[in-house]
Each structure stands twice: as C-alpha cells, then as structure tokens.
Amino acid sequence: MLPNPDQETDLHSREAAVASAALYINEGRFKTDLARLVACRTETSKRGDGTQKPVYLEQIIAPELAELGFDMTIHDNPDPGSGPLAVYKRIENPNLPTVLIYGHGDVVPGQEGEWDADRSPWKLEEAGGRLYGRGTADNKGQHWLNIAALRQVLATRGWLGFNCKILLEMEEESGSPGLEAFCRIHKDELAADVLIASDGPRIRTDRPTVALGSRGNFNFDLEIRYRDDGRHSGNWGGSIKDPVIRLAHAISSITDDHGRILIQAWRPQPPTERIRGLLKDCPILRSDDVSRVDADWGETDLEPAERVLAWNNFAVLAIKAGSPERPVNAIAPMAWARCQLRFLAGLDPETILPALRSHLDAHGFEDVVLSPARSTWWRGTTTDPDNPWVQKTMRSLERTEAKTPDLIPCIGGSLPNHAFQGIVGMPTVWVPHSYSDCSQHAPNEHVRIDLCLSAIRVMTGLFWDIGREGEGEG
C-alpha cells in the first residue's frame, strides 16, 4: 500500500520537490551529470561502429535509473546496422496510470574545429549562462532533465504515484530507422496512457511550451541526367538540352515565385478556428516582426505562425550541377536537387512522390527522376488540445511557473511521434526545454541554464501532480 498523497508534510510536499529540483541546477550537479553525457560520443553517422551507443544506454543511463527502481531491457534495432533501443520500466501498481517518456541519445557529428573559442563538442563548457557541448540541447540534456525530475519526486515523496516507462533510441538523427517496427513488435511493452517527452525549442523563453505533435518530414531527390560528361558551351550551346535549366523550371513549377505550394495534393485543409485561436497570440514569427518574417512569402492569407505550425512547407535544401567550386565553360551532363516537404497530420507520406510525379508529368517534365532521400520518414501528428492529459499538463505547468504555457498544435520540426500516437496508440504531449537559438545541429550547441532551471521545476511539478491524481484514482 502506497502512502496517502494527502498526508503531505512540509518536507514531503510538491513545493519541497520543486525547490530540491532547483537546487540540482543551482548547485551545479546538473552540469556535472550533463558533462558525462556529452563526453560519450554517440554520433548517429557512425553506423558501422556505434560502440558508444550501447555504452550510453547501459553504462551511463542504466545505473542512474536502476537507483530509481527501473528495470532495463536492451533491444536490437529491427533495422540492421542501426543502434540499439533501451526500455526502462518502474511499475508501482498495475492500477495506476502509465507514463511513457521518450528521448534519443544519438547526436549529429561534432563538427570539431568549427566551435567558437576552440571549444570541443565533447567537453561541456560553461560560459555566459550557457552550457556548450554536442547533445546539450538535442537531446541528451532534455531527456536527462526529465529523468532528474523523476528523481526529485522519488527523493521527496518516496514514490511516483504512476507507472513509468522510458524509451531511448540511438538513431533519431538519421530518421529513427527501425523505431516504428520496434513499436509494432513491442507494442504491449510500451503501452501507456500518455507520452510525455521533450525535444525542440520553446516558443518563448519566459514560459513553458506544450506542443501536441510535430510536422512530418519527407526528403527526396530530383535528378536530370542527359549524358555522361559535359559539352563545350561554345560548340554545343543552343543545340543540346541543359539539365540545370530544365531542373530549375521543374522546381519552379512546384511553387509560385512567392513559395506558395501549387500541388493540390500537398496542400492541407485551412487551420480550424480552434487552431487559429491557439496561435492568435503566438509570439513566434509575428506579422509585425519585419526583421525576421517575409510578409510576402508562402500562404500570405495566414499569419506567419500559422504558416509554420498549421501549414505545409516545401524547401530546396541543396542543388548541384557542374563544378560549383571551379566553374568551366561546359554544359553540365546532369543536375541534382535535394528537396523537402514538411507537412501536417493528415497527409500520407506514401502519396507525396506519386503526387509530384503526376504534377511534373502534367507540366512536361517526364525527364525528372524522383527518389526518396532515405528509407524512413516521419508522419505529421497532433493531439486534440482538449484531451484531458493536455489540460492536466497545462494546469500543472501554470501552477509551477504562474504563467499560462504556450499551447501549439505541433512543433515546426519533425519527430518520430507517429510511432507512439499512431502505432502504440496514446495521446502525446511534448514539453520542450530548449530555445530556437540553441545552435542544435551546428557548432556551438548549448542550453541556457535559466531554461534548464525552469524545465526541471515544471517537470518535477508535473510528475508530482500526475502521481497525486493517479494515486487518488488508483
């Protein structure tokens, strides 16, 4: 029998747990722990090696969670050559609600030699209220803050008041290959009432953000190849097709000259009044923020925040033809472009390339070859903003920070959220702990210490509140 949550003392109260969480940051213990995580080089590009990936799961994370009463199971990835996955479980009572926490321990390449002040990406360094190092923001620091919040609740109250499962993967930065298959195979093992996880940035730094899902992400290549080598532009120009010009026109048919998507199958339904209401006062990308927003770009009848968080976006990520570093007087034999579609829930990724194929053929570009850039993609997802778990999270975060959190339908980026919402089957609530200028995926990645302080406070309060309600219901 667990203790009665109503019999709290001053030393075993929500306020005490939140205060203890603040000391964890302010006394430098978070910095010490995060340094160990950063030092473990878990670059996702090291697929053939990957020796540090199991080290991260088994030797760094597992001992900490074992102290908190979690059992660990390491699983091979269903995708050959991809890093392992770990499931950590603490089951207090089958009648209590179960929370699934997700994170990823892999990071993008360190980009050594490109960081300011000769910093190493693998050595945590504090400067100007920031903690620098690869993975600090994406995603080691974020899931560690959630683990640390669980520790504060257990240390203060002695129990969680809910069952907790934690899933850590090691391939998110390469598109989470094998994760959806893993979730299908281990659906029962991962079953939970809700996913509560952290990734990405807050909308604004002075208050928490609650995101209900993420936009999908599909990368693909366009290529035109007419010959095996170049042709002298003086001797051949005007008599042979130029693949660069053809590809440029093919790309320009996808949107108008202001970036508005012209493929009808790629265009979502207009945002509902409920969604527009959520984003009405969203401080990100306001229409009056002329220094950051191009008012004449994209769906101009939508507010800028709606274009990012409630619409689809096509982008050209890279183009290559000829020898860009050293141009010569020759018509290139081929042209290539890497493109991307970010999209909302409701668009089936399987239809993206067929719709583009039909569009290009209809415009006379049968010579453009299409191919997916990788074998996996992420679907767009969202949770109903009126879901009880969403409202419970909003109330808890507001209680801790005395500020109404920003509630958004999805983050602008992409996450493997469909694995949890669509496959395992649960509402998903994301509480990001970083901010938009954290330099993730770039040199100088960092977290702000003040945001880490806010993050661990709100997560400690949230886990405390879930435990009280869960024990009362159980």
Side-chain angles (χ1 to χ4, degrees):
M1 174 73 70
L2 295 175
N4 187 337
D6 293 326
Q7 296 176 343
E8 291 183 357
T9 67
D10 290 342
L11 295 177
H12 300 83
S13 66
R14 185 185 198 274
E15 291 71 20
V18 172
S20 175
L23 287 176
Y24 175 71
I25 302 294
N26 292 332
E27 293 179 347
R29 284 176 281 149
F30 172 66
K31 176 183 175 181
T32 300
D33 288 343
L34 186 58
R36 293 188 296 111
L37 273 59
V38 168
C40 188
R41 299 182 56 157
T42 53
E43 294 166 282
T44 201
S45 60
K46 307 292 186 181
R47 290 172 62 88
D49 178 8
T51 54
Q52 292 302 300
K53 294 176 181 179
V55 168
Y56 185 84
L57 298 175
E58 299 176 31
Q59 298 181 28
I60 295 180
I61 301 296
E64 298 290 335
L65 287 174
E67 289 185 4
L68 304 184
F70 283 78
D71 298 323
M72 177 189 70
T73 304
I74 296 291
H75 296 274
D76 291 333
N77 196 311
D79 181 71
S82 293
L85 302 100
V87 178
Y88 311 87
K89 292 190 291 186
R90 176 187 167 97
I91 306 300
E92 292 188 349
N93 186 326
N95 295 322
L96 293 176
T98 300
V99 174
L100 175 65
I101 296 173
Y102 161 82
H104 66 90
D106 63 309
V107 297
V108 299
Q111 298 172 293
E112 293 94 331
E114 300 180 34
W115 293 54
D116 292 344
D118 295 324
R119 293 188 179 98
S120 166
W122 313 114
K123 184 177 181 180
L124 194 76
E125 183 174 328
E126 180 178 353
R130 300 173 173 182
L131 298 175
Y132 289 88
R134 179 61 81 222
T136 51
D138 189 17
N139 173 256
K140 293 177 178 180
Q142 299 214 37
H143 65 250
W144 185 260
L145 283 166
N146 292 346
I147 292 172
L150 293 171
R151 179 182 289 276
Q152 307 311 312
V153 173
L154 284 166
T156 305
R157 185 164 59 192
W159 77 95
L160 292 177
F162 59 90
N163 304 312
C164 187
K165 301 177 181 179
I166 300 174
L167 170 64
L168 295 183
E169 68 153 317
M170 304 302 292
E171 295 292 348
E172 190 269 356
E173 298 295 359
S174 59
S176 298
L179 178 61
E180 290 197 0
F182 177 82
C183 287
R184 290 188 184 94
I185 296 168
H186 299 277
K187 183 175 180 178
D188 292 341
E189 182 181 5
L190 299 173
D193 294 278
V194 64
L195 172 86
I196 296 178
S198 301
D199 204 336
R202 289 181 170 188
I203 291 297
R204 46 185 161 182
T205 58
D206 67 345
R207 68 188 60 217
T209 293
V210 175
L212 305 180
S214 65
R215 289 201 294 182
N217 178 24
F218 190 99
N219 288 7
F220 55 93
D221 295 341
L222 310 181
E223 182 176 341
I224 297 179
R225 179 178 295 274
Y226 289 142
R227 51 196 73 90
D228 293 332
D229 51 22
R231 295 289 188 270
H232 191 281
S233 58
N235 296 334
W236 292 90
S239 66
I240 60 174
K241 292 180 180 178
D242 187 323
V244 184
I245 294 175
R246 287 285 293 168
L247 185 62
H249 280 276
I251 292 173
S252 70
S253 76
I254 296 174
T255 75
D256 64 17
D257 58 349
H258 291 279
R260 184 174 181 271
I261 294 174
L262 299 178
I263 302 176
Q264 190 61 39
W266 286 8
R267 295 176 60 82
Q269 293 295 317
T272 64
E273 288 303 313
R274 180 76 166 97
I275 297 301
R276 301 195 79 164
L278 291 179
L279 299 177
K280 180 179 179 180
D281 298 319
C282 185
I284 184 175
L285 304 177
R286 301 183 310 272
S287 57
D288 60 345
D289 191 356
V290 294
S291 65
R292 303 182 68 182
V293 172
D294 293 314
D296 63 345
W297 188 257
E299 296 294 318
T300 54
D301 58 334
L302 300 179
E303 286 296 312
E306 295 169 354
R307 300 178 213 171
V308 175
L309 303 177
W311 200 254
N312 297 346
N313 173 66
F314 169 75
V316 180
L317 305 181
I319 295 180
K320 185 173 182 179
S323 302
E325 303 82 6
R326 194 172 183 177
V328 297
N329 294 321
I331 297 172
M334 60 83 69
W336 168 92
R338 169 68 51 82
C339 300
Q340 180 185 79
L341 186 69
R342 300 269 188 179
F343 55 95
L344 304 177
L347 177 59
D348 183 352
E350 298 279 3
T351 68
I352 291 174
L353 285 189
L356 178 58
R357 178 77 274 163
S358 296
H359 171 85
L360 292 176
D361 290 351
H363 286 76
F365 295 108
E366 296 91 346
D367 47 353
V368 177
V369 176
L370 308 180
S371 59
R374 58 190 185 192
S375 59
T376 60
W377 55 76
W378 289 326
R379 297 174 183 267
T381 57
T382 192
T383 294
D384 186 340
D386 295 320
N387 182 278
W389 282 100
V390 175
Q391 296 304 312
K392 183 181 302 186
T393 301
M394 293 288 289
R395 289 192 302 270
S396 175
L397 271 55
E398 182 171 4
R399 177 182 177 186
T400 302
E401 293 287 78
K403 296 177 181 177
T404 302
D406 290 312
L407 178 61
I408 57 176
C410 62
I411 64 170
S414 300
L415 292 164
N417 199 43
H418 174 72
F420 313 113
Q421 188 183 90
I423 295 176
V424 182
M426 68 187 74
T428 57
V429 180
W430 292 81
V431 185
H433 301 328
S434 187
Y435 76 122
S436 59
D437 293 327
C438 67
S439 298
Q440 69 181 93
H441 291 198
N444 307 313
E445 180 182 350
H446 64 274
V447 288
R448 280 177 35 177
I449 297 175
D450 62 331
L451 294 188
C452 293
L453 176 59
S454 172
I456 197 170
R457 279 171 41 83
V458 300
M459 297 308 293
T460 299
L462 176 59
F463 293 143
W464 186 280
D465 292 342
I466 293 172
R468 281 183 59 87
E469 295 182 25
E471 176 63 9
E473 294 164 0

